[in-house]
Amino acid sequence: MTHEKRSIMTKLPMPGETRSPRLPLHPDIDEAMIRRLVHAFYGKVREDPRLGPLFAQSISQPWPEHLDKMCDFWSSIMLKTARFKGRPMATHAKITNLAESDFAIWLQLFEETAYAECPPACAAIFVEKASMIAESFRLGLFYRPNAIH
Ligand code: HEM
């Protein structure tokens, strides 16, 4: 690919993006909102009868560190800060006892928390992103078209 073509490509939005990929997804979303949402969400996760024990058995670092990492993750997505460094698919693949149906529980809790903690327009963007990522994890971890049933 020529230099000229590459520089044109980098200005193009990613599929599904209507704005420049470097801009925050909504002007009202900031680090404080992300922190509030992440902390409230994982508070609920820890109390959930299915996800609480699953996290307790699988988490490989103390909760405060995990929460900081999740703030970095959401900051990278919503504010385009590129702060998150991790390999989420590989991390989830290592969780023994993770079931496909756990994603619906996770998303339900995330949606409830997003609308409780954020203005509706911001909550809707968080939920849309979470749903897309959850679906890609779910397919990556559980979709086996060639499996013999
Ligand atoms: C079925 C639902 C889910 C469960 C049970 C789950 C569980 C976990 C656990 C236990 C960890 C910590 C692993 C470790 O410390 O080694 C983790 C990490 C993480 N999770 Fe999830 N998760 C779920 C869904 C999601 C979804 C939908 C997202 C994104 C929208 C997400 C994003 C992340 C990220 C970014 C990390 C850090 C990955 C890394 O360090 O590379 N998780 N998850």
Side-chain angles (χ1 to χ4, degrees), residues 41-42 45 50-63 66 69-70 72-74 77 84-92 94-95 97-107 110 126-127 129-138 141-142:
F41 173 62
Y42 285 99
V45 161
R50 167 69 192 162
L51 297 188
L54 196 51
F55 269 81
Q57 68 158 46
S58 314
I59 195 162
S60 63
Q61 57 184 165
W63 271 99
H66 183 66
K69 183 190 280 187
M70 297 313 298
D72 288 348
F73 174 73
W74 282 107
I77 292 171
F84 174 72
K85 307 273 178 270
R87 298 179 58 230
M89 188 68 93
T91 302
H92 292 93
K94 279 192 268 178
I95 302 176
N97 305 329
L98 181 66
E100 195 167 0
S101 53
D102 292 332
F103 284 97
I105 305 172
W106 191 106
L107 273 173
F110 189 85
F126 276 106
V127 170
K129 290 286 167 192
S131 306
M132 285 168 52
I133 299 164
E135 189 59 2
S136 77
F137 288 173
R138 189 183 69 76
L141 295 170
F142 293 100

Short mmCIF file of all heavy atoms in Angstrom, two decimals, residues 41-42 45 50-63 66 69-70 72-74 77 84-92 94-95 97-107 110 126-127 129-138 141-142, ligand 1:
data_model
loop_
_atom_site.label_atom_id
_atom_site.label_comp_id
_atom_site.label_asym_id
_atom_site.label_seq_id
_atom_site.Cartn_x
_atom_site.Cartn_y
_atom_site.Cartn_z
N PHE A 41 -20.70 -1.10 38.88
CA PHE A 41 -20.96 -2.36 38.17
C PHE A 41 -20.30 -3.55 38.88
O PHE A 41 -20.94 -4.56 39.15
CB PHE A 41 -20.48 -2.25 36.71
CG PHE A 41 -20.56 -3.55 35.96
CD1 PHE A 41 -21.77 -4.20 35.76
CD2 PHE A 41 -19.41 -4.16 35.46
CE1 PHE A 41 -21.85 -5.42 35.08
CE2 PHE A 41 -19.48 -5.36 34.77
CZ PHE A 41 -20.70 -5.99 34.59
N TYR A 42 -19.01 -3.42 39.17
CA TYR A 42 -18.34 -4.57 39.79
C TYR A 42 -18.80 -4.78 41.24
O TYR A 42 -18.71 -5.90 41.75
CB TYR A 42 -16.82 -4.48 39.63
CG TYR A 42 -16.44 -4.82 38.19
CD1 TYR A 42 -16.17 -3.82 37.28
CD2 TYR A 42 -16.44 -6.13 37.74
CE1 TYR A 42 -15.88 -4.11 35.95
CE2 TYR A 42 -16.16 -6.44 36.43
CZ TYR A 42 -15.88 -5.42 35.52
OH TYR A 42 -15.62 -5.74 34.21
N VAL A 45 -21.59 -7.01 40.44
CA VAL A 45 -21.06 -8.31 40.00
C VAL A 45 -20.68 -9.15 41.22
O VAL A 45 -20.99 -10.34 41.30
CB VAL A 45 -19.83 -8.11 39.07
CG1 VAL A 45 -18.99 -9.36 38.96
CG2 VAL A 45 -20.28 -7.64 37.69
N ARG A 50 -24.38 -15.77 40.65
CA ARG A 50 -23.63 -16.55 39.66
C ARG A 50 -22.24 -15.91 39.38
O ARG A 50 -21.21 -16.58 39.44
CB ARG A 50 -24.46 -16.65 38.35
CG ARG A 50 -23.68 -17.16 37.15
CD ARG A 50 -23.29 -18.62 37.27
NE ARG A 50 -22.31 -18.95 36.22
CZ ARG A 50 -21.53 -20.00 36.23
NH1 ARG A 50 -21.58 -20.88 37.22
NH2 ARG A 50 -20.69 -20.22 35.24
N LEU A 51 -22.23 -14.60 39.07
CA LEU A 51 -20.97 -13.97 38.67
C LEU A 51 -20.03 -13.73 39.85
O LEU A 51 -18.80 -13.78 39.70
CB LEU A 51 -21.23 -12.64 37.95
CG LEU A 51 -22.00 -12.73 36.63
CD1 LEU A 51 -22.01 -11.37 35.94
CD2 LEU A 51 -21.43 -13.78 35.68
N GLY A 52 -20.59 -13.48 41.03
CA GLY A 52 -19.75 -13.20 42.20
C GLY A 52 -18.75 -14.33 42.46
O GLY A 52 -17.53 -14.10 42.45
N PRO A 53 -19.22 -15.57 42.65
CA PRO A 53 -18.30 -16.68 42.89
C PRO A 53 -17.37 -16.95 41.70
O PRO A 53 -16.21 -17.33 41.88
CB PRO A 53 -19.23 -17.88 43.12
CG PRO A 53 -20.54 -17.28 43.52
CD PRO A 53 -20.63 -15.95 42.83
N LEU A 54 -17.88 -16.72 40.48
CA LEU A 54 -17.05 -16.95 39.28
C LEU A 54 -15.86 -15.99 39.28
O LEU A 54 -14.71 -16.39 39.02
CB LEU A 54 -17.93 -16.73 38.04
CG LEU A 54 -17.45 -17.25 36.70
CD1 LEU A 54 -17.04 -18.70 36.77
CD2 LEU A 54 -18.56 -17.07 35.66
N PHE A 55 -16.12 -14.72 39.57
CA PHE A 55 -15.02 -13.75 39.66
C PHE A 55 -14.09 -14.11 40.82
O PHE A 55 -12.87 -14.08 40.67
CB PHE A 55 -15.55 -12.31 39.83
CG PHE A 55 -15.75 -11.61 38.52
CD1 PHE A 55 -16.89 -11.82 37.76
CD2 PHE A 55 -14.79 -10.73 38.03
CE1 PHE A 55 -17.07 -11.18 36.54
CE2 PHE A 55 -14.96 -10.09 36.82
CZ PHE A 55 -16.10 -10.31 36.07
N ALA A 56 -14.69 -14.45 41.95
CA ALA A 56 -13.86 -14.73 43.14
C ALA A 56 -12.85 -15.85 42.86
O ALA A 56 -11.70 -15.78 43.28
CB ALA A 56 -14.75 -15.08 44.32
N GLN A 57 -13.28 -16.85 42.09
CA GLN A 57 -12.37 -17.98 41.84
C GLN A 57 -11.37 -17.67 40.71
O GLN A 57 -10.33 -18.32 40.62
CB GLN A 57 -13.18 -19.24 41.45
CG GLN A 57 -13.85 -19.07 40.12
CD GLN A 57 -14.24 -20.32 39.38
OE1 GLN A 57 -14.80 -21.23 39.96
NE2 GLN A 57 -13.98 -20.34 38.09
N SER A 58 -11.67 -16.68 39.85
CA SER A 58 -10.86 -16.49 38.64
C SER A 58 -9.98 -15.26 38.66
O SER A 58 -9.01 -15.19 37.88
CB SER A 58 -11.76 -16.36 37.41
OG SER A 58 -12.75 -17.34 37.41
N ILE A 59 -10.30 -14.28 39.46
CA ILE A 59 -9.58 -13.01 39.38
C ILE A 59 -8.14 -13.21 39.86
O ILE A 59 -7.91 -13.90 40.84
CB ILE A 59 -10.34 -11.91 40.16
CG1 ILE A 59 -9.85 -10.54 39.80
CG2 ILE A 59 -10.32 -12.17 41.65
CD1 ILE A 59 -10.84 -9.44 40.20
N SER A 60 -7.19 -12.65 39.10
CA SER A 60 -5.79 -12.95 39.39
C SER A 60 -5.07 -11.78 40.07
O SER A 60 -3.87 -11.81 40.22
CB SER A 60 -5.06 -13.32 38.09
OG SER A 60 -5.08 -12.21 37.22
N GLN A 61 -5.81 -10.73 40.41
CA GLN A 61 -5.17 -9.60 41.10
C GLN A 61 -6.18 -9.05 42.10
O GLN A 61 -7.39 -9.34 42.00
CB GLN A 61 -4.74 -8.53 40.09
CG GLN A 61 -5.84 -8.02 39.22
CD GLN A 61 -5.36 -7.04 38.16
OE1 GLN A 61 -6.08 -6.75 37.24
NE2 GLN A 61 -4.17 -6.51 38.26
N PRO A 62 -5.73 -8.24 43.07
CA PRO A 62 -6.67 -7.67 44.03
C PRO A 62 -7.71 -6.79 43.32
O PRO A 62 -7.41 -6.20 42.27
CB PRO A 62 -5.78 -6.83 44.95
CG PRO A 62 -4.39 -7.36 44.76
CD PRO A 62 -4.33 -7.89 43.36
N TRP A 63 -8.90 -6.70 43.89
CA TRP A 63 -10.00 -5.95 43.25
C TRP A 63 -9.62 -4.52 42.88
O TRP A 63 -9.93 -4.07 41.78
CB TRP A 63 -11.26 -5.99 44.12
CG TRP A 63 -12.09 -7.19 43.77
CD1 TRP A 63 -12.14 -8.38 44.43
CD2 TRP A 63 -12.96 -7.33 42.63
NE1 TRP A 63 -12.99 -9.25 43.78
CE2 TRP A 63 -13.51 -8.63 42.68
CE3 TRP A 63 -13.33 -6.48 41.58
CZ2 TRP A 63 -14.40 -9.10 41.72
CZ3 TRP A 63 -14.23 -6.95 40.62
CH2 TRP A 63 -14.74 -8.25 40.70
N HIS A 66 -7.89 -4.58 39.66
CA HIS A 66 -8.80 -4.97 38.57
C HIS A 66 -9.68 -3.78 38.19
O HIS A 66 -9.91 -3.52 36.99
CB HIS A 66 -9.65 -6.16 38.98
CG HIS A 66 -10.55 -6.65 37.87
ND1 HIS A 66 -10.06 -7.20 36.70
CD2 HIS A 66 -11.89 -6.61 37.72
CE1 HIS A 66 -11.07 -7.50 35.89
NE2 HIS A 66 -12.19 -7.14 36.49
N LYS A 69 -7.80 -1.36 36.13
CA LYS A 69 -7.62 -1.87 34.78
C LYS A 69 -8.91 -1.70 33.96
O LYS A 69 -8.87 -1.31 32.78
CB LYS A 69 -7.23 -3.35 34.84
CG LYS A 69 -6.95 -3.94 33.49
CD LYS A 69 -6.80 -5.43 33.53
CE LYS A 69 -5.42 -5.84 34.00
NZ LYS A 69 -5.22 -7.30 33.87
N MET A 70 -10.05 -1.95 34.60
CA MET A 70 -11.31 -1.82 33.87
C MET A 70 -11.62 -0.36 33.55
O MET A 70 -12.23 -0.07 32.51
CB MET A 70 -12.46 -2.48 34.65
CG MET A 70 -12.29 -3.98 34.85
SD MET A 70 -11.82 -4.86 33.34
CE MET A 70 -13.24 -4.53 32.30
N ASP A 72 -9.24 1.77 32.81
CA ASP A 72 -8.38 1.98 31.64
C ASP A 72 -9.04 1.43 30.38
O ASP A 72 -8.99 2.05 29.30
CB ASP A 72 -7.02 1.27 31.82
CG ASP A 72 -6.15 1.98 32.84
OD1 ASP A 72 -6.47 3.11 33.23
OD2 ASP A 72 -5.14 1.37 33.26
N PHE A 73 -9.64 0.25 30.51
CA PHE A 73 -10.30 -0.40 29.37
C PHE A 73 -11.40 0.53 28.82
O PHE A 73 -11.44 0.84 27.63
CB PHE A 73 -10.89 -1.74 29.84
CG PHE A 73 -11.72 -2.46 28.82
CD1 PHE A 73 -11.12 -3.08 27.74
CD2 PHE A 73 -13.10 -2.55 28.95
CE1 PHE A 73 -11.88 -3.77 26.80
CE2 PHE A 73 -13.87 -3.23 28.02
CZ PHE A 73 -13.26 -3.84 26.94
N TRP A 74 -12.28 0.99 29.73
CA TRP A 74 -13.40 1.82 29.26
C TRP A 74 -12.93 3.20 28.80
O TRP A 74 -13.52 3.79 27.89
CB TRP A 74 -14.48 1.91 30.35
CG TRP A 74 -15.29 0.65 30.36
CD1 TRP A 74 -15.27 -0.36 31.28
CD2 TRP A 74 -16.20 0.23 29.33
NE1 TRP A 74 -16.11 -1.38 30.90
CE2 TRP A 74 -16.70 -1.04 29.71
CE3 TRP A 74 -16.65 0.79 28.14
CZ2 TRP A 74 -17.62 -1.75 28.94
CZ3 TRP A 74 -17.58 0.08 27.36
CH2 TRP A 74 -18.05 -1.17 27.77
N ILE A 77 -11.85 2.82 25.27
CA ILE A 77 -12.96 2.69 24.31
C ILE A 77 -13.71 4.01 24.16
O ILE A 77 -13.94 4.48 23.05
CB ILE A 77 -13.91 1.58 24.76
CG1 ILE A 77 -13.19 0.24 24.62
CG2 ILE A 77 -15.21 1.59 23.95
CD1 ILE A 77 -13.93 -0.90 25.23
N PHE A 84 -5.55 1.11 27.96
CA PHE A 84 -5.66 -0.31 28.32
C PHE A 84 -4.63 -1.14 27.58
O PHE A 84 -4.48 -1.02 26.36
CB PHE A 84 -7.06 -0.82 27.99
CG PHE A 84 -7.21 -2.30 28.21
CD1 PHE A 84 -7.26 -2.83 29.49
CD2 PHE A 84 -7.31 -3.17 27.13
CE1 PHE A 84 -7.40 -4.20 29.69
CE2 PHE A 84 -7.46 -4.53 27.32
CZ PHE A 84 -7.50 -5.04 28.60
N LYS A 85 -3.92 -1.96 28.35
CA LYS A 85 -2.99 -2.92 27.75
C LYS A 85 -3.39 -4.28 28.28
O LYS A 85 -3.25 -4.54 29.47
CB LYS A 85 -1.54 -2.64 28.16
CG LYS A 85 -1.08 -1.21 27.93
CD LYS A 85 -0.53 -1.00 26.52
CE LYS A 85 -0.10 0.44 26.27
NZ LYS A 85 -1.14 1.33 25.73
N GLY A 86 -3.90 -5.11 27.44
CA GLY A 86 -4.29 -6.43 27.92
C GLY A 86 -4.69 -7.32 26.77
O GLY A 86 -4.66 -6.89 25.61
N ARG A 87 -5.04 -8.54 27.10
CA ARG A 87 -5.47 -9.49 26.07
C ARG A 87 -6.76 -10.14 26.56
O ARG A 87 -6.76 -11.26 27.07
CB ARG A 87 -4.38 -10.54 25.83
CG ARG A 87 -3.06 -9.90 25.31
CD ARG A 87 -1.98 -10.92 25.10
NE ARG A 87 -2.40 -11.95 24.15
CZ ARG A 87 -2.29 -13.26 24.39
NH1 ARG A 87 -1.82 -13.70 25.54
NH2 ARG A 87 -2.67 -14.12 23.48
N PRO A 88 -7.88 -9.39 26.44
CA PRO A 88 -9.11 -9.85 27.09
C PRO A 88 -9.60 -11.22 26.62
O PRO A 88 -10.09 -12.01 27.43
CB PRO A 88 -10.14 -8.77 26.78
CG PRO A 88 -9.44 -7.70 26.07
CD PRO A 88 -8.02 -8.08 25.81
N MET A 89 -9.43 -11.52 25.34
CA MET A 89 -9.94 -12.83 24.88
C MET A 89 -9.18 -13.96 25.56
O MET A 89 -9.76 -14.91 26.07
CB MET A 89 -9.80 -12.92 23.35
CG MET A 89 -10.44 -14.12 22.75
SD MET A 89 -12.23 -14.05 22.89
CE MET A 89 -12.62 -13.31 21.32
N ALA A 90 -7.85 -13.84 25.58
CA ALA A 90 -7.03 -14.88 26.23
C ALA A 90 -7.36 -14.96 27.73
O ALA A 90 -7.42 -16.05 28.30
CB ALA A 90 -5.55 -14.57 26.03
N THR A 91 -7.59 -13.80 28.34
CA THR A 91 -7.91 -13.78 29.78
C THR A 91 -9.22 -14.53 30.05
O THR A 91 -9.30 -15.35 30.97
CB THR A 91 -8.08 -12.31 30.26
OG1 THR A 91 -6.87 -11.61 29.98
CG2 THR A 91 -8.36 -12.23 31.73
N HIS A 92 -10.23 -14.27 29.24
CA HIS A 92 -11.52 -14.95 29.47
C HIS A 92 -11.45 -16.43 29.12
O HIS A 92 -12.15 -17.23 29.72
CB HIS A 92 -12.64 -14.23 28.72
CG HIS A 92 -12.93 -12.86 29.29
ND1 HIS A 92 -12.34 -11.72 28.81
CD2 HIS A 92 -13.68 -12.47 30.34
CE1 HIS A 92 -12.73 -10.68 29.52
NE2 HIS A 92 -13.55 -11.11 30.46
N LYS A 94 -9.24 -18.38 29.85
CA LYS A 94 -8.64 -19.12 30.97
C LYS A 94 -9.63 -19.32 32.13
O LYS A 94 -9.31 -20.02 33.09
CB LYS A 94 -7.42 -18.34 31.49
CG LYS A 94 -6.17 -18.59 30.66
CD LYS A 94 -4.93 -18.05 31.35
CE LYS A 94 -4.69 -16.63 30.89
NZ LYS A 94 -3.61 -15.90 31.44
N ILE A 95 -10.80 -18.68 32.05
CA ILE A 95 -11.75 -18.77 33.17
C ILE A 95 -12.46 -20.12 33.11
O ILE A 95 -13.28 -20.35 32.22
CB ILE A 95 -12.78 -17.62 33.15
CG1 ILE A 95 -12.05 -16.28 33.19
CG2 ILE A 95 -13.77 -17.75 34.30
CD1 ILE A 95 -12.97 -15.07 33.07
N ASN A 97 -15.14 -22.84 34.05
CA ASN A 97 -16.56 -22.76 34.43
C ASN A 97 -17.30 -21.58 33.81
O ASN A 97 -18.45 -21.35 34.14
CB ASN A 97 -16.79 -22.67 35.95
CG ASN A 97 -16.14 -23.80 36.68
OD1 ASN A 97 -16.04 -24.90 36.13
ND2 ASN A 97 -15.67 -23.56 37.89
N LEU A 98 -16.64 -20.81 32.94
CA LEU A 98 -17.37 -19.73 32.27
C LEU A 98 -18.38 -20.37 31.30
O LEU A 98 -18.01 -21.23 30.51
CB LEU A 98 -16.39 -18.83 31.50
CG LEU A 98 -17.00 -17.63 30.76
CD1 LEU A 98 -17.58 -16.62 31.74
CD2 LEU A 98 -15.95 -16.95 29.90
N ALA A 99 -19.66 -19.96 31.41
CA ALA A 99 -20.70 -20.53 30.55
C ALA A 99 -21.17 -19.46 29.58
O ALA A 99 -21.13 -18.26 29.88
CB ALA A 99 -21.86 -21.02 31.39
N GLU A 100 -21.65 -19.90 28.43
CA GLU A 100 -22.14 -18.96 27.42
C GLU A 100 -23.24 -18.07 28.01
O GLU A 100 -23.30 -16.87 27.75
CB GLU A 100 -22.67 -19.76 26.22
CG GLU A 100 -22.87 -18.93 25.00
CD GLU A 100 -23.09 -19.78 23.74
OE1 GLU A 100 -23.10 -21.02 23.83
OE2 GLU A 100 -23.27 -19.16 22.69
N SER A 101 -24.08 -18.66 28.85
CA SER A 101 -25.21 -17.92 29.43
C SER A 101 -24.76 -16.84 30.42
O SER A 101 -25.55 -15.95 30.77
CB SER A 101 -26.17 -18.90 30.12
OG SER A 101 -25.45 -19.69 31.05
N ASP A 102 -23.52 -16.87 30.87
CA ASP A 102 -23.03 -15.84 31.79
C ASP A 102 -22.99 -14.46 31.13
O ASP A 102 -23.10 -13.44 31.81
CB ASP A 102 -21.63 -16.19 32.31
CG ASP A 102 -21.64 -17.41 33.20
OD1 ASP A 102 -22.69 -17.65 33.84
OD2 ASP A 102 -20.63 -18.14 33.25
N PHE A 103 -22.86 -14.43 29.80
CA PHE A 103 -22.80 -13.13 29.13
C PHE A 103 -24.12 -12.37 29.27
O PHE A 103 -24.12 -11.15 29.39
CB PHE A 103 -22.41 -13.30 27.66
CG PHE A 103 -20.94 -13.59 27.51
CD1 PHE A 103 -20.49 -14.90 27.37
CD2 PHE A 103 -20.00 -12.57 27.56
CE1 PHE A 103 -19.13 -15.18 27.27
CE2 PHE A 103 -18.64 -12.83 27.45
CZ PHE A 103 -18.21 -14.14 27.31
N ALA A 104 -25.24 -13.09 29.24
CA ALA A 104 -26.54 -12.41 29.38
C ALA A 104 -26.68 -11.81 30.78
O ALA A 104 -27.19 -10.69 30.93
CB ALA A 104 -27.68 -13.40 29.10
N ILE A 105 -26.19 -12.51 31.78
CA ILE A 105 -26.25 -11.99 33.16
C ILE A 105 -25.37 -10.75 33.26
O ILE A 105 -25.77 -9.71 33.82
CB ILE A 105 -25.77 -13.06 34.17
CG1 ILE A 105 -26.56 -14.36 34.01
CG2 ILE A 105 -25.86 -12.55 35.60
CD1 ILE A 105 -26.01 -15.52 34.85
N TRP A 106 -24.15 -10.86 32.73
CA TRP A 106 -23.19 -9.74 32.76
C TRP A 106 -23.81 -8.50 32.10
O TRP A 106 -23.79 -7.41 32.65
CB TRP A 106 -21.92 -10.18 32.03
CG TRP A 106 -20.72 -9.28 32.14
CD1 TRP A 106 -19.60 -9.51 32.89
CD2 TRP A 106 -20.48 -8.03 31.46
NE1 TRP A 106 -18.70 -8.48 32.73
CE2 TRP A 106 -19.20 -7.57 31.86
CE3 TRP A 106 -21.22 -7.27 30.55
CZ2 TRP A 106 -18.65 -6.38 31.38
CZ3 TRP A 106 -20.67 -6.07 30.08
CH2 TRP A 106 -19.40 -5.65 30.50
N LEU A 107 -24.39 -8.70 30.89
CA LEU A 107 -24.93 -7.56 30.15
C LEU A 107 -26.14 -6.94 30.84
O LEU A 107 -26.30 -5.72 30.83
CB LEU A 107 -25.34 -8.01 28.74
CG LEU A 107 -24.24 -7.97 27.69
CD1 LEU A 107 -24.71 -8.59 26.39
CD2 LEU A 107 -23.78 -6.51 27.44
N PHE A 110 -24.83 -4.89 33.58
CA PHE A 110 -24.12 -3.71 33.06
C PHE A 110 -25.13 -2.66 32.59
O PHE A 110 -24.98 -1.47 32.87
CB PHE A 110 -23.19 -4.11 31.90
CG PHE A 110 -22.29 -2.99 31.46
CD1 PHE A 110 -21.08 -2.76 32.11
CD2 PHE A 110 -22.65 -2.15 30.41
CE1 PHE A 110 -20.26 -1.69 31.72
CE2 PHE A 110 -21.84 -1.09 30.01
CZ PHE A 110 -20.63 -0.88 30.68
N PHE A 126 -22.47 3.24 26.25
CA PHE A 126 -21.78 2.20 27.03
C PHE A 126 -22.40 0.82 26.74
O PHE A 126 -21.68 -0.15 26.52
CB PHE A 126 -21.89 2.48 28.53
CG PHE A 126 -20.86 3.44 29.07
CD1 PHE A 126 -21.19 4.74 29.40
CD2 PHE A 126 -19.54 3.02 29.26
CE1 PHE A 126 -20.24 5.62 29.92
CE2 PHE A 126 -18.58 3.89 29.78
CZ PHE A 126 -18.93 5.20 30.11
N VAL A 127 -23.73 0.78 26.74
CA VAL A 127 -24.40 -0.52 26.56
C VAL A 127 -24.16 -1.06 25.15
O VAL A 127 -23.92 -2.25 24.96
CB VAL A 127 -25.92 -0.38 26.86
CG1 VAL A 127 -26.68 -1.63 26.45
CG2 VAL A 127 -26.13 -0.08 28.34
N LYS A 129 -21.56 -0.51 23.20
CA LYS A 129 -20.18 -1.00 23.11
C LYS A 129 -20.03 -2.32 23.87
O LYS A 129 -19.42 -3.28 23.38
CB LYS A 129 -19.20 0.02 23.68
CG LYS A 129 -19.04 1.24 22.84
CD LYS A 129 -18.21 0.90 21.59
CE LYS A 129 -18.31 2.01 20.56
NZ LYS A 129 -17.79 1.62 19.25
N ALA A 130 -20.59 -2.37 25.09
CA ALA A 130 -20.48 -3.59 25.90
C ALA A 130 -21.12 -4.77 25.18
O ALA A 130 -20.58 -5.89 25.18
CB ALA A 130 -21.13 -3.38 27.27
N SER A 131 -22.27 -4.52 24.54
CA SER A 131 -22.97 -5.62 23.84
C SER A 131 -22.12 -6.14 22.69
O SER A 131 -22.01 -7.36 22.48
CB SER A 131 -24.31 -5.15 23.27
OG SER A 131 -25.08 -4.57 24.25
N MET A 132 -21.51 -5.21 21.94
CA MET A 132 -20.69 -5.65 20.81
C MET A 132 -19.48 -6.46 21.28
O MET A 132 -19.13 -7.49 20.70
CB MET A 132 -20.20 -4.42 20.01
CG MET A 132 -21.27 -3.78 19.16
SD MET A 132 -20.77 -2.16 18.53
CE MET A 132 -19.20 -2.57 17.79
N ILE A 133 -18.84 -5.97 22.35
CA ILE A 133 -17.64 -6.66 22.83
C ILE A 133 -18.02 -8.02 23.43
O ILE A 133 -17.36 -9.03 23.20
CB ILE A 133 -16.89 -5.78 23.85
CG1 ILE A 133 -16.44 -4.48 23.19
CG2 ILE A 133 -15.69 -6.52 24.44
CD1 ILE A 133 -16.04 -3.38 24.16
N ALA A 134 -19.12 -8.02 24.20
CA ALA A 134 -19.57 -9.29 24.81
C ALA A 134 -19.87 -10.31 23.72
O ALA A 134 -19.52 -11.49 23.84
CB ALA A 134 -20.82 -9.05 25.68
N GLU A 135 -20.49 -9.85 22.65
CA GLU A 135 -20.83 -10.77 21.55
C GLU A 135 -19.55 -11.31 20.90
O GLU A 135 -19.48 -12.49 20.56
CB GLU A 135 -21.71 -10.02 20.54
CG GLU A 135 -22.32 -10.89 19.46
CD GLU A 135 -23.22 -12.01 19.96
OE1 GLU A 135 -23.44 -12.15 21.18
OE2 GLU A 135 -23.69 -12.78 19.11
N SER A 136 -18.55 -10.45 20.75
CA SER A 136 -17.32 -10.95 20.12
C SER A 136 -16.61 -11.93 21.05
O SER A 136 -16.08 -12.95 20.59
CB SER A 136 -16.41 -9.80 19.69
OG SER A 136 -15.73 -9.26 20.78
N PHE A 137 -16.64 -11.68 22.37
CA PHE A 137 -16.06 -12.65 23.31
C PHE A 137 -16.85 -13.97 23.26
O PHE A 137 -16.29 -15.05 23.21
CB PHE A 137 -16.12 -12.14 24.75
CG PHE A 137 -15.16 -11.02 25.09
CD1 PHE A 137 -15.24 -10.36 26.31
CD2 PHE A 137 -14.19 -10.60 24.20
CE1 PHE A 137 -14.37 -9.34 26.64
CE2 PHE A 137 -13.31 -9.56 24.50
CZ PHE A 137 -13.40 -8.93 25.73
N ARG A 138 -18.19 -13.83 23.28
CA ARG A 138 -19.03 -15.04 23.32
C ARG A 138 -18.77 -15.90 22.08
O ARG A 138 -18.57 -17.11 22.19
CB ARG A 138 -20.51 -14.64 23.39
CG ARG A 138 -21.46 -15.80 23.64
CD ARG A 138 -22.91 -15.34 23.63
NE ARG A 138 -23.38 -14.94 22.32
CZ ARG A 138 -23.70 -15.77 21.33
NH1 ARG A 138 -23.62 -17.09 21.52
NH2 ARG A 138 -24.11 -15.31 20.17
N LEU A 141 -15.26 -17.44 22.14
CA LEU A 141 -15.05 -18.50 23.14
C LEU A 141 -15.94 -19.73 22.92
O LEU A 141 -15.57 -20.83 23.30
CB LEU A 141 -15.32 -17.95 24.55
CG LEU A 141 -14.36 -16.84 25.02
CD1 LEU A 141 -14.87 -16.20 26.30
CD2 LEU A 141 -12.96 -17.39 25.22
N PHE A 142 -17.14 -19.51 22.34
CA PHE A 142 -18.10 -20.62 22.31
C PHE A 142 -18.56 -21.05 20.92
O PHE A 142 -19.14 -22.12 20.77
CB PHE A 142 -19.35 -20.28 23.15
CG PHE A 142 -19.04 -20.17 24.61
CD1 PHE A 142 -18.88 -18.94 25.21
CD2 PHE A 142 -18.89 -21.30 25.39
CE1 PHE A 142 -18.58 -18.82 26.56
CE2 PHE A 142 -18.59 -21.21 26.75
CZ PHE A 142 -18.43 -19.97 27.33
C1 HEM B 1 -19.52 -13.72 31.00
C2 HEM B 1 -19.21 -12.60 31.55
C3 HEM B 1 -17.84 -12.25 32.08
C4 HEM B 1 -17.14 -12.81 33.10
C5 HEM B 1 -17.57 -13.94 34.04
C6 HEM B 1 -15.88 -12.11 33.19
C7 HEM B 1 -14.89 -12.36 34.11
C8 HEM B 1 -13.67 -11.75 34.15
C9 HEM B 1 -12.61 -12.05 35.11
C10 HEM B 1 -12.72 -13.07 36.23
C11 HEM B 1 -11.56 -11.27 34.79
C12 HEM B 1 -10.21 -11.22 35.53
C13 HEM B 1 -9.31 -12.30 35.02
C14 HEM B 1 -7.93 -12.26 35.63
O1 HEM B 1 -7.68 -11.52 36.58
O2 HEM B 1 -7.08 -13.02 35.14
C15 HEM B 1 -11.93 -10.47 33.65
C16 HEM B 1 -11.10 -9.56 33.03
C17 HEM B 1 -11.53 -8.68 32.07
N1 HEM B 1 -12.79 -8.56 31.56
FE1 HEM B 1 -14.30 -9.85 31.88
N2 HEM B 1 -15.84 -11.15 32.21
C18 HEM B 1 -17.02 -11.20 31.51
C19 HEM B 1 -17.38 -10.39 30.47
C20 HEM B 1 -16.69 -9.28 30.03
C21 HEM B 1 -17.15 -8.34 29.03
C22 HEM B 1 -18.48 -8.43 28.29
C23 HEM B 1 -16.16 -7.41 28.93
C24 HEM B 1 -16.11 -6.20 28.03
C25 HEM B 1 -17.19 -5.52 27.65
C26 HEM B 1 -15.09 -7.78 29.81
C27 HEM B 1 -13.89 -7.11 29.92
C28 HEM B 1 -12.81 -7.56 30.64
C29 HEM B 1 -11.47 -7.00 30.54
C30 HEM B 1 -11.04 -5.86 29.63
C31 HEM B 1 -10.66 -7.71 31.43
C32 HEM B 1 -9.16 -7.53 31.65
C33 HEM B 1 -8.46 -8.41 30.61
C34 HEM B 1 -6.95 -8.42 30.66
O3 HEM B 1 -6.36 -8.16 31.71
O4 HEM B 1 -6.36 -8.70 29.61
N3 HEM B 1 -15.44 -8.92 30.48
N4 HEM B 1 -13.22 -10.77 33.28
#
